[in-house]
Amino acid sequence: MRIIAGILFTSAINAQVGRLEWHKGITLPAMQDGKMHIGLAGPIAGVTSDCLLIAGGANFPHLPPWEGGTKEIQKEVFIYRKEGAGLRLAAQDSLSVAVAYAASLSLPDGLLVIGGETPDGKTAACRLIKYDSSTKKITVSDYPNLPVPLANMGAVVHGNKLLVAGGEMQDAVSDQVFQLDLAHLEKGWGWVGKLPYAVSHLQLLSDSQNGLYLLGGRKAHPESPSTLYHELWCSTDNGITWSKRTDIPFSAAAGTACVLPDLGIWLLSADRGNTFHQVEVLIFDAKKETNPLQRQKLIDAKNKLQINHPGFGRAIWRYDLHSNKWSRMGDLPSNGPVTTTAVFWDDMIILPSGEIKAGVRTPEILVATFSNK
């Protein structure tokens, strides 16, 4: 009887594991000059007024970085409605301030944009974006500013509170956790505690119970290659203390992840750092090299690595919150985008644009349907 019960229990657990069905994706609309959109890294992404909003972000509109191209932060806003199992462009607008690498949180009354990077540098500003379907325009209102300017941080809605963790400050990487009580906005952001280490480009997620999860990320160093993390940490006291869980099978920075109703953390993409580290080493070596010819050789080698970047792969992984195990769950339909935000909207998973190779963005918006069957 115990054996039978064990088999039944195992089958029940396995039956709860969901699946993703990927649909034909769409692309961001053509740019103002009529050329195909080149995609965005660090876009604002989330749901407001029953629409998906994709805005801001950064790209290299004229030349790639290895040809001397300059990164530009964008203002465009794209609004999409659901159409069957896909999306349809409903309207376009523009932000008053260009912003990229912010945190995006879908709230009942709008899409909250937290911090990020503007043409003037990193910002502490937080703004709530709403979409008016009658005018096909957005409206923006101020929210309490962060205690410090931050970009590429983790952020999540956890109960009636918003939590922000880690991120890039003006000249350092943060290990701080901040909290905003939605019922008491007048109190502003408060300090909660510290992460196990300073980290940016991380994932901060919340389950349906009381768990907060910190996944992967990286920490830049001024004179040496970045540290990339493969750790998974959990907090059950709103970010005050953290306990270690089963490591991700690989380093995972700038990835996209979400907690789905099958009580699994789905890691849909990540930079494992192999090419990233090689590029960093060459950049540091070139800075130290005094011989102009040798320095140019190092720069050429760095450019060649970036041009031939293999991409971030297609593998999808899932962490089971019951068994504490990671499992491979198939593949994305195309190269995995990093430095973007996975949006879970009803039963739809959306990966809006993002970076697919060093310095290369994709205009593609990947769309899947989640099923628990």
Side-chain angles (χ1 to χ4, degrees):
M1 287 298 293
R2 287 180 181 176
I3 294 173
I4 294 173
I7 293 171
L8 291 174
F9 177 76
T10 302
S11 299
I13 293 296
N14 289 338
Q16 292 174 6
V17 175
R19 63 184 181 89
L20 297 177
E21 179 184 353
W22 294 94
H23 306 287
K24 183 179 180 181
I26 60 172
T27 58
L28 293 170
M31 295 185 289
Q32 292 180 348
D33 59 6
K35 294 181 180 177
M36 179 181 176
H37 205 293
I38 60 173
L40 302 160
I44 297 163
V47 177
T48 171
S49 303
D50 205 32
C51 291
L52 171 72
L53 186 148
I54 303 171
N59 56 24
F60 295 86
H62 305 298
L63 290 172
W66 50 85
E67 293 181 14
T70 302
K71 182 189 293 186
E72 295 183 11
I73 300 176
Q74 306 297 332
K75 289 185 175 182
E76 285 79 13
V77 179
F78 308 106
I79 298 105
Y80 293 88
R81 289 196 176 277
K82 283 186 178 180
E83 188 170 78
L87 299 168
R88 172 181 58 84
L89 184 68
Q92 294 182 228
D93 203 351
S94 183
L95 301 169
S96 58
V97 178
V99 65
Y101 311 114
S104 306
L105 295 178
S106 301
L107 304 180
D109 55 348
L111 177 60
L112 184 63
V113 181
I114 304 172
E117 188 175 331
T118 73
D120 296 323
K122 294 178 178 62
T123 179
C126 299
R127 297 184 174 91
L128 187 72
I129 300 178
K130 297 182 181 181
Y131 172 65
D132 187 335
S133 58
S134 62
T135 63
K136 293 191 175 182
K137 297 290 182 182
I138 62 166
T139 59
V140 180
S141 56
D142 291 335
Y143 244 58
N145 283 0
L146 290 167
V148 294
L150 286 173
N152 289 308
M153 60 286 204
V156 72
V157 181
H158 191 59
N160 66 339
K161 295 180 174 62
L162 309 182
L163 290 165
V164 165
E168 294 174 320
M169 301 183 289
Q170 298 290 16
D171 299 307
V173 178
S174 173
D175 63 355
Q176 306 294 300
V177 181
F178 300 112
Q179 173 184 282
L180 180 66
D181 190 334
L182 290 172
H184 297 283
L185 294 181
E186 72 282 357
K187 294 182 179 179
W189 293 88
W191 182 80
V192 173
K194 287 188 175 184
L195 298 173
Y197 37 73
V199 60
S200 67
H201 299 83
L202 64 149
Q203 293 288 297
L204 185 67
L205 304 171
S206 174
D207 63 20
S208 58
Q209 306 300 315
N210 194 39
L212 279 173
Y213 297 90
L214 161 66
L215 283 80
R218 74 174 189 240
K219 180 186 178 184
H221 305 292
E223 300 295 335
S224 61
S226 300
T227 300
L228 269 71
Y229 296 103
H230 59 267
E231 285 88 344
L232 171 64
W233 295 78
C234 177
S235 173
T236 56
D237 55 9
N238 299 313
I240 298 172
T241 60
W242 297 84
S243 60
K244 204 166 185 297
R245 295 295 178 90
T246 306
D247 286 345
I248 306 167
F250 44 83
S251 297
T256 55
C258 52
V259 177
L260 295 181
D262 63 352
L263 293 182
I265 296 174
W266 289 68
L267 180 57
L268 304 169
S269 67
D271 183 357
R272 303 191 184 196
N274 297 329
T275 304
F276 182 79
H277 267 160
Q278 294 177 60
V279 168
E280 281 191 310
V281 169
L282 289 168
I283 290 173
F284 285 120
D285 288 347
K287 285 181 180 179
K288 293 182 289 186
E289 181 57 61
T290 57
N291 184 310
L293 291 177
Q294 290 301 319
R295 184 188 306 118
Q296 189 58 51
K297 285 184 179 180
L298 292 168
I299 292 171
D300 291 343
K302 182 267 294 182
N303 291 342
K304 185 177 180 180
L305 269 176
Q306 290 182 312
I307 292 168
N308 296 304
H309 193 291
F312 303 110
R314 300 187 178 191
I316 298 172
W317 287 78
R318 177 184 179 274
Y319 174 78
D320 193 288
L321 296 175
H322 288 299
S323 67
N324 300 316
K325 292 181 180 179
W326 288 94
S327 302
R328 175 79 182 269
M329 298 299 292
D331 296 288
L332 295 169
S334 58
N335 282 336
V338 302
T339 324
T340 188
T341 299
V343 178
F344 184 40
W345 184 14
D346 297 331
D347 63 347
M348 189 178 282
I349 308 294
I350 303 160
L351 300 184
S353 195
E355 187 171 356
I356 54 170
K357 296 182 180 182
V360 179
R361 281 69 168 136
T362 175
E364 189 175 16
I365 303 169
L366 298 179
V367 180
T369 301
F370 173 79
S371 173
N372 235 342
K373 296 179 182 178

PDB file of all heavy atoms in Angstrom, residues 275-304:
ATOM      1  N   THR A 275      31.044  33.903 -23.335  1.00  0.00           N
ATOM      2  CA  THR A 275      31.553  34.938 -24.234  1.00  0.00           C
ATOM      3  C   THR A 275      31.690  36.260 -23.502  1.00  0.00           C
ATOM      4  O   THR A 275      32.652  37.016 -23.724  1.00  0.00           O
ATOM      5  CB  THR A 275      30.634  35.089 -25.454  1.00  0.00           C
ATOM      6  OG1 THR A 275      30.496  33.833 -26.117  1.00  0.00           O
ATOM      7  CG2 THR A 275      31.183  36.120 -26.428  1.00  0.00           C
ATOM      8  N   PHE A 276      30.754  36.551 -22.628  1.00  0.00           N
ATOM      9  CA  PHE A 276      30.768  37.799 -21.860  1.00  0.00           C
ATOM     10  C   PHE A 276      32.083  37.947 -21.102  1.00  0.00           C
ATOM     11  O   PHE A 276      32.721  39.011 -21.127  1.00  0.00           O
ATOM     12  CB  PHE A 276      29.578  37.791 -20.896  1.00  0.00           C
ATOM     13  CG  PHE A 276      29.435  39.038 -20.066  1.00  0.00           C
ATOM     14  CD1 PHE A 276      28.874  40.187 -20.600  1.00  0.00           C
ATOM     15  CD2 PHE A 276      29.859  39.063 -18.747  1.00  0.00           C
ATOM     16  CE1 PHE A 276      28.744  41.342 -19.835  1.00  0.00           C
ATOM     17  CE2 PHE A 276      29.728  40.200 -17.972  1.00  0.00           C
ATOM     18  CZ  PHE A 276      29.163  41.347 -18.521  1.00  0.00           C
ATOM     19  N   HIS A 277      32.521  36.884 -20.448  1.00  0.00           N
ATOM     20  CA  HIS A 277      33.769  36.934 -19.696  1.00  0.00           C
ATOM     21  C   HIS A 277      34.977  37.110 -20.615  1.00  0.00           C
ATOM     22  O   HIS A 277      35.901  37.877 -20.303  1.00  0.00           O
ATOM     23  CB  HIS A 277      33.930  35.660 -18.866  1.00  0.00           C
ATOM     24  CG  HIS A 277      33.401  35.795 -17.464  1.00  0.00           C
ATOM     25  ND1 HIS A 277      33.082  34.708 -16.691  1.00  0.00           N
ATOM     26  CD2 HIS A 277      33.134  36.885 -16.698  1.00  0.00           C
ATOM     27  CE1 HIS A 277      32.637  35.116 -15.505  1.00  0.00           C
ATOM     28  NE2 HIS A 277      32.661  36.432 -15.503  1.00  0.00           N
ATOM     29  N   GLN A 278      34.982  36.413 -21.734  1.00  0.00           N
ATOM     30  CA  GLN A 278      36.104  36.554 -22.666  1.00  0.00           C
ATOM     31  C   GLN A 278      36.214  37.983 -23.185  1.00  0.00           C
ATOM     32  O   GLN A 278      37.315  38.533 -23.299  1.00  0.00           O
ATOM     33  CB  GLN A 278      35.922  35.589 -23.837  1.00  0.00           C
ATOM     34  CG  GLN A 278      36.008  34.117 -23.462  1.00  0.00           C
ATOM     35  CD  GLN A 278      35.753  33.225 -24.666  1.00  0.00           C
ATOM     36  OE1 GLN A 278      36.478  33.280 -25.659  1.00  0.00           O
ATOM     37  NE2 GLN A 278      34.712  32.412 -24.597  1.00  0.00           N
ATOM     38  N   VAL A 279      35.070  38.589 -23.482  1.00  0.00           N
ATOM     39  CA  VAL A 279      35.052  39.976 -23.956  1.00  0.00           C
ATOM     40  C   VAL A 279      35.566  40.915 -22.867  1.00  0.00           C
ATOM     41  O   VAL A 279      36.381  41.816 -23.131  1.00  0.00           O
ATOM     42  CB  VAL A 279      33.633  40.374 -24.403  1.00  0.00           C
ATOM     43  CG1 VAL A 279      33.538  41.893 -24.611  1.00  0.00           C
ATOM     44  CG2 VAL A 279      33.248  39.636 -25.677  1.00  0.00           C
ATOM     45  N   GLU A 280      35.120  40.696 -21.633  1.00  0.00           N
ATOM     46  CA  GLU A 280      35.567  41.546 -20.526  1.00  0.00           C
ATOM     47  C   GLU A 280      37.081  41.475 -20.345  1.00  0.00           C
ATOM     48  O   GLU A 280      37.744  42.505 -20.150  1.00  0.00           O
ATOM     49  CB  GLU A 280      34.878  41.121 -19.223  1.00  0.00           C
ATOM     50  CG  GLU A 280      33.464  41.624 -19.064  1.00  0.00           C
ATOM     51  CD  GLU A 280      32.955  41.399 -17.661  1.00  0.00           C
ATOM     52  OE1 GLU A 280      33.088  40.250 -17.163  1.00  0.00           O
ATOM     53  OE2 GLU A 280      32.442  42.338 -17.042  1.00  0.00           O
ATOM     54  N   VAL A 281      37.638  40.257 -20.414  1.00  0.00           N
ATOM     55  CA  VAL A 281      39.091  40.093 -20.246  1.00  0.00           C
ATOM     56  C   VAL A 281      39.837  40.883 -21.310  1.00  0.00           C
ATOM     57  O   VAL A 281      40.819  41.587 -21.018  1.00  0.00           O
ATOM     58  CB  VAL A 281      39.472  38.604 -20.309  1.00  0.00           C
ATOM     59  CG1 VAL A 281      40.984  38.441 -20.413  1.00  0.00           C
ATOM     60  CG2 VAL A 281      38.961  37.870 -19.065  1.00  0.00           C
ATOM     61  N   LEU A 282      39.385  40.819 -22.551  1.00  0.00           N
ATOM     62  CA  LEU A 282      40.038  41.542 -23.634  1.00  0.00           C
ATOM     63  C   LEU A 282      39.917  43.057 -23.452  1.00  0.00           C
ATOM     64  O   LEU A 282      40.852  43.806 -23.757  1.00  0.00           O
ATOM     65  CB  LEU A 282      39.462  41.107 -24.981  1.00  0.00           C
ATOM     66  CG  LEU A 282      39.843  39.693 -25.428  1.00  0.00           C
ATOM     67  CD1 LEU A 282      38.997  39.253 -26.613  1.00  0.00           C
ATOM     68  CD2 LEU A 282      41.327  39.626 -25.793  1.00  0.00           C
ATOM     69  N   ILE A 283      38.764  43.506 -22.953  1.00  0.00           N
ATOM     70  CA  ILE A 283      38.583  44.945 -22.707  1.00  0.00           C
ATOM     71  C   ILE A 283      39.553  45.425 -21.636  1.00  0.00           C
ATOM     72  O   ILE A 283      40.220  46.459 -21.792  1.00  0.00           O
ATOM     73  CB  ILE A 283      37.120  45.240 -22.292  1.00  0.00           C
ATOM     74  CG1 ILE A 283      36.186  45.051 -23.485  1.00  0.00           C
ATOM     75  CG2 ILE A 283      36.995  46.667 -21.740  1.00  0.00           C
ATOM     76  CD1 ILE A 283      34.723  45.153 -23.142  1.00  0.00           C
ATOM     77  N   PHE A 284      39.666  44.687 -20.542  1.00  0.00           N
ATOM     78  CA  PHE A 284      40.589  45.072 -19.467  1.00  0.00           C
ATOM     79  C   PHE A 284      42.041  45.026 -19.945  1.00  0.00           C
ATOM     80  O   PHE A 284      42.839  45.913 -19.631  1.00  0.00           O
ATOM     81  CB  PHE A 284      40.400  44.169 -18.244  1.00  0.00           C
ATOM     82  CG  PHE A 284      39.169  44.484 -17.454  1.00  0.00           C
ATOM     83  CD1 PHE A 284      38.167  43.530 -17.276  1.00  0.00           C
ATOM     84  CD2 PHE A 284      38.985  45.728 -16.868  1.00  0.00           C
ATOM     85  CE1 PHE A 284      37.024  43.814 -16.544  1.00  0.00           C
ATOM     86  CE2 PHE A 284      37.852  46.029 -16.132  1.00  0.00           C
ATOM     87  CZ  PHE A 284      36.869  45.072 -15.972  1.00  0.00           C
ATOM     88  N   ASP A 285      42.374  43.993 -20.729  1.00  0.00           N
ATOM     89  CA  ASP A 285      43.744  43.886 -21.233  1.00  0.00           C
ATOM     90  C   ASP A 285      44.075  45.050 -22.173  1.00  0.00           C
ATOM     91  O   ASP A 285      45.193  45.583 -22.149  1.00  0.00           O
ATOM     92  CB  ASP A 285      43.936  42.557 -21.960  1.00  0.00           C
ATOM     93  CG  ASP A 285      43.982  41.368 -21.007  1.00  0.00           C
ATOM     94  OD1 ASP A 285      44.104  41.590 -19.783  1.00  0.00           O
ATOM     95  OD2 ASP A 285      43.883  40.216 -21.477  1.00  0.00           O
ATOM     96  N   ALA A 286      43.099  45.434 -23.003  1.00  0.00           N
ATOM     97  CA  ALA A 286      43.324  46.531 -23.937  1.00  0.00           C
ATOM     98  C   ALA A 286      43.532  47.856 -23.195  1.00  0.00           C
ATOM     99  O   ALA A 286      44.349  48.689 -23.614  1.00  0.00           O
ATOM    100  CB  ALA A 286      42.152  46.647 -24.908  1.00  0.00           C
ATOM    101  N   LYS A 287      42.807  48.041 -22.103  1.00  0.00           N
ATOM    102  CA  LYS A 287      42.959  49.271 -21.317  1.00  0.00           C
ATOM    103  C   LYS A 287      44.356  49.370 -20.712  1.00  0.00           C
ATOM    104  O   LYS A 287      44.905  50.464 -20.589  1.00  0.00           O
ATOM    105  CB  LYS A 287      41.908  49.310 -20.209  1.00  0.00           C
ATOM    106  CG  LYS A 287      40.499  49.637 -20.681  1.00  0.00           C
ATOM    107  CD  LYS A 287      39.541  49.679 -19.510  1.00  0.00           C
ATOM    108  CE  LYS A 287      38.125  50.018 -19.972  1.00  0.00           C
ATOM    109  NZ  LYS A 287      37.172  50.040 -18.818  1.00  0.00           N
ATOM    110  N   LYS A 288      44.933  48.226 -20.353  1.00  0.00           N
ATOM    111  CA  LYS A 288      46.250  48.227 -19.704  1.00  0.00           C
ATOM    112  C   LYS A 288      47.401  48.230 -20.700  1.00  0.00           C
ATOM    113  O   LYS A 288      48.531  48.563 -20.340  1.00  0.00           O
ATOM    114  CB  LYS A 288      46.361  46.995 -18.781  1.00  0.00           C
ATOM    115  CG  LYS A 288      45.425  47.041 -17.571  1.00  0.00           C
ATOM    116  CD  LYS A 288      45.613  45.837 -16.665  1.00  0.00           C
ATOM    117  CE  LYS A 288      45.098  44.560 -17.284  1.00  0.00           C
ATOM    118  NZ  LYS A 288      45.154  43.407 -16.348  1.00  0.00           N
ATOM    119  N   GLU A 289      47.120  47.876 -21.944  1.00  0.00           N
ATOM    120  CA  GLU A 289      48.171  47.757 -22.943  1.00  0.00           C
ATOM    121  C   GLU A 289      48.674  49.138 -23.387  1.00  0.00           C
ATOM    122  O   GLU A 289      47.889  50.017 -23.747  1.00  0.00           O
ATOM    123  CB  GLU A 289      47.638  46.980 -24.170  1.00  0.00           C
ATOM    124  CG  GLU A 289      48.656  46.777 -25.271  1.00  0.00           C
ATOM    125  CD  GLU A 289      49.893  46.058 -24.781  1.00  0.00           C
ATOM    126  OE1 GLU A 289      49.761  44.899 -24.322  1.00  0.00           O
ATOM    127  OE2 GLU A 289      50.982  46.665 -24.864  1.00  0.00           O
ATOM    128  N   THR A 290      49.975  49.326 -23.354  1.00  0.00           N
ATOM    129  CA  THR A 290      50.560  50.615 -23.739  1.00  0.00           C
ATOM    130  C   THR A 290      51.010  50.649 -25.195  1.00  0.00           C
ATOM    131  O   THR A 290      51.157  51.721 -25.770  1.00  0.00           O
ATOM    132  CB  THR A 290      51.762  50.943 -22.832  1.00  0.00           C
ATOM    133  OG1 THR A 290      52.724  49.881 -22.913  1.00  0.00           O
ATOM    134  CG2 THR A 290      51.317  51.118 -21.385  1.00  0.00           C
ATOM    135  N   ASN A 291      51.246  49.483 -25.788  1.00  0.00           N
ATOM    136  CA  ASN A 291      51.651  49.412 -27.187  1.00  0.00           C
ATOM    137  C   ASN A 291      50.416  49.554 -28.080  1.00  0.00           C
ATOM    138  O   ASN A 291      49.514  48.716 -28.047  1.00  0.00           O
ATOM    139  CB  ASN A 291      52.346  48.078 -27.453  1.00  0.00           C
ATOM    140  CG  ASN A 291      52.874  47.978 -28.876  1.00  0.00           C
ATOM    141  OD1 ASN A 291      52.173  48.239 -29.829  1.00  0.00           O
ATOM    142  ND2 ASN A 291      54.140  47.577 -29.003  1.00  0.00           N
ATOM    143  N   PRO A 292      50.347  50.608 -28.925  1.00  0.00           N
ATOM    144  CA  PRO A 292      49.143  50.830 -29.745  1.00  0.00           C
ATOM    145  C   PRO A 292      48.794  49.657 -30.653  1.00  0.00           C
ATOM    146  O   PRO A 292      47.616  49.331 -30.820  1.00  0.00           O
ATOM    147  CB  PRO A 292      49.508  52.082 -30.553  1.00  0.00           C
ATOM    148  CG  PRO A 292      50.552  52.776 -29.750  1.00  0.00           C
ATOM    149  CD  PRO A 292      51.331  51.682 -29.091  1.00  0.00           C
ATOM    150  N   LEU A 293      49.799  49.025 -31.238  1.00  0.00           N
ATOM    151  CA  LEU A 293      49.528  47.899 -32.128  1.00  0.00           C
ATOM    152  C   LEU A 293      48.947  46.711 -31.362  1.00  0.00           C
ATOM    153  O   LEU A 293      47.996  46.068 -31.817  1.00  0.00           O
ATOM    154  CB  LEU A 293      50.810  47.489 -32.863  1.00  0.00           C
ATOM    155  CG  LEU A 293      51.336  48.489 -33.893  1.00  0.00           C
ATOM    156  CD1 LEU A 293      52.662  48.000 -34.491  1.00  0.00           C
ATOM    157  CD2 LEU A 293      50.311  48.718 -34.998  1.00  0.00           C
ATOM    158  N   GLN A 294      49.530  46.417 -30.198  1.00  0.00           N
ATOM    159  CA  GLN A 294      49.020  45.314 -29.384  1.00  0.00           C
ATOM    160  C   GLN A 294      47.621  45.624 -28.864  1.00  0.00           C
ATOM    161  O   GLN A 294      46.764  44.741 -28.797  1.00  0.00           O
ATOM    162  CB  GLN A 294      49.973  45.044 -28.220  1.00  0.00           C
ATOM    163  CG  GLN A 294      51.305  44.440 -28.627  1.00  0.00           C
ATOM    164  CD  GLN A 294      51.132  43.113 -29.348  1.00  0.00           C
ATOM    165  OE1 GLN A 294      50.308  42.273 -28.989  1.00  0.00           O
ATOM    166  NE2 GLN A 294      51.932  42.913 -30.401  1.00  0.00           N
ATOM    167  N   ARG A 295      47.400  46.901 -28.509  1.00  0.00           N
ATOM    168  CA  ARG A 295      46.075  47.292 -28.028  1.00  0.00           C
ATOM    169  C   ARG A 295      45.031  47.086 -29.126  1.00  0.00           C
ATOM    170  O   ARG A 295      43.941  46.570 -28.864  1.00  0.00           O
ATOM    171  CB  ARG A 295      46.068  48.752 -27.578  1.00  0.00           C
ATOM    172  CG  ARG A 295      44.724  49.188 -26.973  1.00  0.00           C
ATOM    173  CD  ARG A 295      44.646  50.676 -26.707  1.00  0.00           C
ATOM    174  NE  ARG A 295      45.750  51.135 -25.895  1.00  0.00           N
ATOM    175  CZ  ARG A 295      46.654  52.011 -26.292  1.00  0.00           C
ATOM    176  NH1 ARG A 295      46.595  52.519 -27.522  1.00  0.00           N
ATOM    177  NH2 ARG A 295      47.626  52.399 -25.484  1.00  0.00           N
ATOM    178  N   GLN A 296      45.360  47.450 -30.348  1.00  0.00           N
ATOM    179  CA  GLN A 296      44.405  47.282 -31.444  1.00  0.00           C
ATOM    180  C   GLN A 296      44.128  45.811 -31.718  1.00  0.00           C
ATOM    181  O   GLN A 296      42.998  45.431 -32.053  1.00  0.00           O
ATOM    182  CB  GLN A 296      44.926  47.959 -32.704  1.00  0.00           C
ATOM    183  CG  GLN A 296      43.901  48.020 -33.842  1.00  0.00           C
ATOM    184  CD  GLN A 296      42.636  48.737 -33.446  1.00  0.00           C
ATOM    185  OE1 GLN A 296      42.674  49.847 -32.920  1.00  0.00           O
ATOM    186  NE2 GLN A 296      41.490  48.100 -33.671  1.00  0.00           N
ATOM    187  N   LYS A 297      45.164  44.965 -31.569  1.00  0.00           N
ATOM    188  CA  LYS A 297      44.949  43.523 -31.741  1.00  0.00           C
ATOM    189  C   LYS A 297      43.947  43.000 -30.716  1.00  0.00           C
ATOM    190  O   LYS A 297      43.098  42.165 -31.038  1.00  0.00           O
ATOM    191  CB  LYS A 297      46.280  42.775 -31.613  1.00  0.00           C
ATOM    192  CG  LYS A 297      47.195  42.901 -32.818  1.00  0.00           C
ATOM    193  CD  LYS A 297      48.443  42.060 -32.641  1.00  0.00           C
ATOM    194  CE  LYS A 297      49.355  42.160 -33.856  1.00  0.00           C
ATOM    195  NZ  LYS A 297      50.585  41.341 -33.701  1.00  0.00           N
ATOM    196  N   LEU A 298      44.064  43.469 -29.483  1.00  0.00           N
ATOM    197  CA  LEU A 298      43.122  43.058 -28.433  1.00  0.00           C
ATOM    198  C   LEU A 298      41.713  43.552 -28.743  1.00  0.00           C
ATOM    199  O   LEU A 298      40.728  42.823 -28.546  1.00  0.00           O
ATOM    200  CB  LEU A 298      43.594  43.583 -27.075  1.00  0.00           C
ATOM    201  CG  LEU A 298      44.876  42.944 -26.527  1.00  0.00           C
ATOM    202  CD1 LEU A 298      45.407  43.744 -25.342  1.00  0.00           C
ATOM    203  CD2 LEU A 298      44.625  41.495 -26.116  1.00  0.00           C
ATOM    204  N   ILE A 299      41.605  44.784 -29.222  1.00  0.00           N
ATOM    205  CA  ILE A 299      40.293  45.330 -29.576  1.00  0.00           C
ATOM    206  C   ILE A 299      39.688  44.552 -30.739  1.00  0.00           C
ATOM    207  O   ILE A 299      38.494  44.234 -30.738  1.00  0.00           O
ATOM    208  CB  ILE A 299      40.421  46.828 -29.929  1.00  0.00           C
ATOM    209  CG1 ILE A 299      40.793  47.634 -28.678  1.00  0.00           C
ATOM    210  CG2 ILE A 299      39.118  47.354 -30.535  1.00  0.00           C
ATOM    211  CD1 ILE A 299      41.152  49.079 -28.959  1.00  0.00           C
ATOM    212  N   ASP A 300      40.520  44.208 -31.732  1.00  0.00           N
ATOM    213  CA  ASP A 300      40.032  43.422 -32.871  1.00  0.00           C
ATOM    214  C   ASP A 300      39.547  42.045 -32.418  1.00  0.00           C
ATOM    215  O   ASP A 300      38.531  41.533 -32.916  1.00  0.00           O
ATOM    216  CB  ASP A 300      41.135  43.272 -33.914  1.00  0.00           C
ATOM    217  CG  ASP A 300      41.478  44.584 -34.615  1.00  0.00           C
ATOM    218  OD1 ASP A 300      40.662  45.529 -34.532  1.00  0.00           O
ATOM    219  OD2 ASP A 300      42.567  44.658 -35.222  1.00  0.00           O
ATOM    220  N   ALA A 301      40.281  41.435 -31.490  1.00  0.00           N
ATOM    221  CA  ALA A 301      39.874  40.116 -30.968  1.00  0.00           C
ATOM    222  C   ALA A 301      38.552  40.233 -30.218  1.00  0.00           C
ATOM    223  O   ALA A 301      37.686  39.350 -30.331  1.00  0.00           O
ATOM    224  CB  ALA A 301      40.966  39.574 -30.055  1.00  0.00           C
ATOM    225  N   LYS A 302      38.393  41.314 -29.454  1.00  0.00           N
ATOM    226  CA  LYS A 302      37.132  41.548 -28.729  1.00  0.00           C
ATOM    227  C   LYS A 302      35.976  41.717 -29.708  1.00  0.00           C
ATOM    228  O   LYS A 302      34.901  41.127 -29.541  1.00  0.00           O
ATOM    229  CB  LYS A 302      37.282  42.777 -27.833  1.00  0.00           C
ATOM    230  CG  LYS A 302      36.053  43.100 -26.975  1.00  0.00           C
ATOM    231  CD  LYS A 302      35.105  44.074 -27.626  1.00  0.00           C
ATOM    232  CE  LYS A 302      35.749  45.453 -27.783  1.00  0.00           C
ATOM    233  NZ  LYS A 302      34.774  46.423 -28.378  1.00  0.00           N
ATOM    234  N   ASN A 303      36.207  42.513 -30.761  1.00  0.00           N
ATOM    235  CA  ASN A 303      35.155  42.739 -31.763  1.00  0.00           C
ATOM    236  C   ASN A 303      34.767  41.440 -32.465  1.00  0.00           C
ATOM    237  O   ASN A 303      33.580  41.189 -32.723  1.00  0.00           O
ATOM    238  CB  ASN A 303      35.627  43.764 -32.794  1.00  0.00           C
ATOM    239  CG  ASN A 303      35.740  45.160 -32.209  1.00  0.00           C
ATOM    240  OD1 ASN A 303      35.173  45.452 -31.160  1.00  0.00           O
ATOM    241  ND2 ASN A 303      36.473  46.030 -32.901  1.00  0.00           N
ATOM    242  N   LYS A 304      35.768  40.612 -32.765  1.00  0.00           N
ATOM    243  CA  LYS A 304      35.494  39.335 -33.430  1.00  0.00           C
ATOM    244  C   LYS A 304      34.638  38.434 -32.543  1.00  0.00           C
ATOM    245  O   LYS A 304      33.714  37.762 -33.032  1.00  0.00           O
ATOM    246  CB  LYS A 304      36.815  38.643 -33.781  1.00  0.00           C
ATOM    247  CG  LYS A 304      36.638  37.364 -34.587  1.00  0.00           C
ATOM    248  CD  LYS A 304      37.980  36.762 -34.978  1.00  0.00           C
ATOM    249  CE  LYS A 304      37.784  35.490 -35.784  1.00  0.00           C
ATOM    250  NZ  LYS A 304      39.098  34.883 -36.179  1.00  0.00           N
TER     251      LYS A 304
END
